[in-house]
Amino acid sequence: MKIKKIVLSALVVLVSFFSCKNEKNNPETSAVSKAEKPNIVYILTDQWRGSALGYAGNPDVKTPNLDAFAQESVNFTNTVSVTPVCTPHRAALFTGRFPTTTGMFLNDLHMPAQELTMAEIFKSEGYNTAYWGKWHLDGHGRSTFIPKERRQGFDFWRGLECSHNYTKMPYYDNDDPEIKHWKTYSPFAISKDANQYLTEHANDKAPFLAVISIATPHYPHGSAPKQYKDMYPPESLTLNPNISDKYKERARKELQGYYAHATATDKAIGSVLDKIKELGLSENTIVVFSSDHGEMMGAHGVKPFVKQLAWDESIRVPFLIHYPSIGNNKGTVVNAPLTTPDILPSLLGLAKIEIPKTIEGENLSKLIENPDPNADRAALVMNVAPFGANFKDAPYRAIRTKQYTYAITPNGPSMFYDNIKDPYQQNNLLGKTEFVNIQKDLDAKLQKQLANIGDEVRPRDYYMKKWNYKLSMDRRAIDWWSFDKGEGVVQSPKPMAN
């Protein structure tokens, strides 16, 4: 009888243990409830400059929904893209690590499964995870099906590696390997689909992480809906004083479609913001609007579409964040710069989730919750190995403070601007006697940032050899186009997981 009692007690303990274990791993019954953890809706656009918004003071572009959202959010007005081009930004966003650490400093690389990512971290805390739109982290060609094990922790999936065909945007629906196409202009279609997800999951026990990746206002600009292009006659558009005479006519033409995409995308984003309010999610959801990089659009003698450079047209992006209990902080501006690896740890900080030690960015949640327009910091920006249209440009490391931009190349200092007195960065202060002490201070700040991540500015070939990358000289980029012929070769910082 005694033996039976012992056996029975042991069975009860085992049943309890496995029940608790299963409950912990099941988002529907997790102890992590929406009352404890906020939802996250991250709206990521593509090539949207920080200056190309009504709330940022642009006299031409119409963005009424984002203008209204800015009045409900904290606005990090000097946010910069750590490497202003698609894949490096996205890798840094989802890992909280710098491109020289991950090796993800070129477009069309495969981000290895060994990286700990945003979706994996939130998923481990009981979150449902969902992704829409452009991904650009798989490195198996731009139209190849991405199986679940290569989605870096996102479970719900309606995305594609990369496409800018906005009128017939392809995508894959979760685990279906047959390619599909959005039936309308892709920002409208993706936002509508995301709204359906929000509606279906609004009352879940588990919180959700929803990343809505919209590929506009990235070129081609001519494909913007006509009704929006008609809002922007090229001759009526304002050109910044740093646009060279060589590109003025082309800049007006491109700005027409660029702003048209921006206004249409603003409408799509507005529908998501309205849906969040309609579903009563505002008080328990962190909402972010941002972009992966900007574009030069003819400034400083650089043709439209080009990015990767350290001027503000390329590196400065929008960053609005609304969070539960924002209260009197609505509409406040933070001038202290934020760089891409800071975003993930800051979201984790706001969600009261422990920040993994592998993350290199800074947790700025305290600054988000207590916005101080006078705060300052040095935000690191880099281009490790310029490629494509930028192949002939020098690699650089740079910092952005609330007042200054300072950059160096392997050949020495290259850029020093006072962005308050000289917002269009037309007066390079390098070597000017009256600014020598400020330059020394900025250089010390930059070197400190580099030392923190064990980096220094070196020629492109050093990093290409270190990570065993090879560019195709046809386009001076990673060869993604050969995958369409079945001849592509995956290039990745680490061996691919089995």
Side-chain angles (χ1 to χ4, degrees):
M1 190 71 179
K2 188 175 181 180
I3 293 173
K4 285 185 179 179
K5 286 184 178 179
I6 292 172
V7 172
L8 185 60
S9 298
L11 286 171
V12 170
V13 170
L14 283 170
V15 169
S16 298
F17 171 77
F18 284 111
S19 296
C20 290
K21 186 175 181 180
N22 288 336
E23 184 173 329
K24 183 178 180 181
N25 292 331
N26 183 355
E28 293 299 325
T29 57
S30 173
V32 181
S33 69
K34 290 205 299 185
E36 297 168 322
K37 301 293 183 188
N39 303 308
I40 313 283
V41 175
Y42 197 101
I43 302 169
L44 176 63
T45 58
D46 196 340
Q47 206 152 303
W48 200 326
R49 301 194 293 177
S51 61
L53 294 130
Y55 71 80
N58 187 293
D60 296 329
V61 68
K62 299 170 179 62
T63 53
N65 294 290
L66 288 167
D67 295 351
F69 184 58
Q71 293 303 310
E72 299 177 354
S73 307
V74 176
N75 176 8
F76 277 74
T77 189
N78 288 317
T79 297
V80 292
S81 176
V82 67
T83 296
V85 69
C86 296
T87 297
H89 174 92
R90 291 156 193 266
L93 170 64
F94 290 126
T95 64
R97 285 147 62 81
F98 285 87
T100 46
T101 302
T102 63
M104 295 292 292
F105 51 78
L106 297 166
N107 265 0
D108 299 290
L109 295 171
H110 169 68
M111 189 162 78
Q114 290 91 334
E115 290 291 348
L116 180 63
T117 64
M118 177 187 288
E120 291 168 341
I121 296 168
F122 279 100
K123 191 174 174 180
S124 72
E125 292 290 324
Y127 278 69
N128 292 317
T129 58
Y131 195 92
W132 291 263
K134 178 178 173 179
W135 178 241
H136 219 170
L137 288 171
D138 189 58
H140 289 68
R142 295 190 173 184
S143 59
T144 304
F145 172 70
I146 303 172
K148 190 170 184 177
E149 62 270 18
R150 296 209 307 261
R151 297 176 199 156
Q152 304 290 347
F154 285 101
D155 289 332
F156 180 93
W157 181 267
R158 290 207 173 117
L160 184 87
E161 178 72 346
C162 181
S163 172
H164 292 283
N165 183 352
Y166 307 124
T167 57
K168 194 178 179 182
M169 175 75 76
Y171 72 98
Y172 290 97
D173 185 353
N174 289 291
D175 297 328
D176 185 350
E178 182 178 347
I179 200 163
K180 294 177 172 56
H181 295 84
W182 296 112
K183 294 181 180 179
T184 57
Y185 180 64
S186 60
F188 296 159
I190 289 171
S191 60
K192 182 178 179 180
D193 199 81
N195 282 344
Q196 182 63 34
Y197 179 92
L198 296 177
T199 301
E200 292 173 359
H201 292 270
N203 296 315
D204 285 357
K205 292 181 180 178
F208 56 77
L209 165 68
V211 177
I212 305 169
S213 176
I214 299 175
T216 45
H218 190 288
Y219 67 84
H221 300 142
S223 62
K226 183 179 183 301
Q227 70 182 94
Y228 294 95
K229 285 195 289 185
D230 288 347
M231 297 169 67
Y232 299 105
E235 65 277 6
S236 71
L237 299 178
T238 306
L239 295 183
N240 291 338
N242 62 2
I243 294 181
S244 63
D245 291 340
K246 178 180 179 181
Y247 290 119
K248 283 183 177 179
E249 183 177 352
R250 185 175 175 186
R252 288 185 189 278
K253 178 182 177 182
E254 297 301 337
L255 279 171
Q256 178 188 36
Y258 186 73
Y259 289 161
H261 275 315
T263 299
T265 306
D266 173 84
K267 180 180 179 181
I269 292 170
S271 75
V272 175
L273 300 175
D274 288 345
K275 179 61 67 173
I276 290 170
K277 290 180 180 179
E278 175 191 320
L279 295 171
L281 294 172
S282 298
E283 295 309 311
N284 198 41
T285 301
I286 297 169
V287 183
V288 176
F289 161 69
S290 192
S291 179
D292 55 2
H293 54 79
E295 77 147 85
M296 294 305 298
M297 196 62 78
H300 305 287
V302 181
K303 65 182 179 180
F305 308 156
V306 172
K307 43 266 187 185
Q308 297 191 43
L309 300 164
W311 280 298
D312 267 5
E313 288 83 4
S314 172
I315 67 170
R316 197 166 74 84
V317 295
F319 191 88
L320 301 177
I321 183 165
H322 180 280
Y323 54 92
S325 304
I326 189 171
N328 293 332
N329 291 333
K330 289 181 179 180
T332 56
V333 172
V334 174
N335 294 306
L338 174 156
T339 190
T340 315
D342 299 326
I343 296 170
L344 175 54
S346 299
L347 292 176
L348 294 173
L350 289 173
K352 304 296 187 290
I353 294 173
E354 183 178 354
I355 298 169
K357 293 181 180 179
T358 54
I359 287 178
E360 295 175 317
E362 184 178 347
N363 173 12
L364 300 180
S365 61
K366 297 301 182 187
L367 185 56
I368 294 170
E369 293 175 319
N370 300 280
D372 178 1
N374 297 313
D376 199 8
R377 63 193 295 270
L380 183 61
V381 181
M382 60 178 65
N383 193 345
V384 177
F387 64 91
N390 296 85
F391 185 79
K392 294 182 180 180
D393 294 318
Y396 65 83
R397 305 292 185 275
I399 54 168
R400 185 72 157 74
T401 69
K402 71 177 182 179
Q403 183 165 1
Y404 299 106
T405 295
Y406 176 73
I408 61 174
T409 74
N411 295 322
S414 60
M415 190 180 282
F416 174 20
Y417 294 108
D418 183 332
N419 300 314
I420 294 177
K421 295 180 180 177
D422 179 23
Y424 298 105
Q425 299 177 316
Q426 295 175 286
N427 181 22
N428 198 336
L429 302 176
L430 282 177
K432 295 191 176 183
T433 305
E434 61 269 39
F435 298 103
V436 65
N437 289 332
I438 297 174
Q439 183 177 332
K440 286 180 179 179
D441 179 62
L442 291 170
D443 191 78
K445 286 183 167 67
L446 173 55
Q447 295 302 330
K448 182 179 179 181
Q449 291 291 318
L450 296 178
N452 287 343
I453 59 171
D455 182 33
E456 59 183 287
V457 61
R458 295 177 184 263
R460 172 175 45 227
D461 287 349
Y462 169 85
Y463 290 95
M464 297 297 288
K465 290 177 181 177
K466 176 180 178 180
W467 297 97
N468 196 30
Y469 296 148
K470 184 178 180 181
L471 298 182
S472 168
M473 286 299 102
D474 288 350
R475 307 188 196 185
R476 294 174 174 175
I478 296 292
D479 180 3
W480 54 266
W481 50 94
S482 290
F483 284 90
D484 292 336
K485 299 180 290 184
E487 300 172 359
V489 176
V490 176
Q491 297 193 54
S492 180
K494 298 174 184 177
M496 289 176 56
N498 293 327

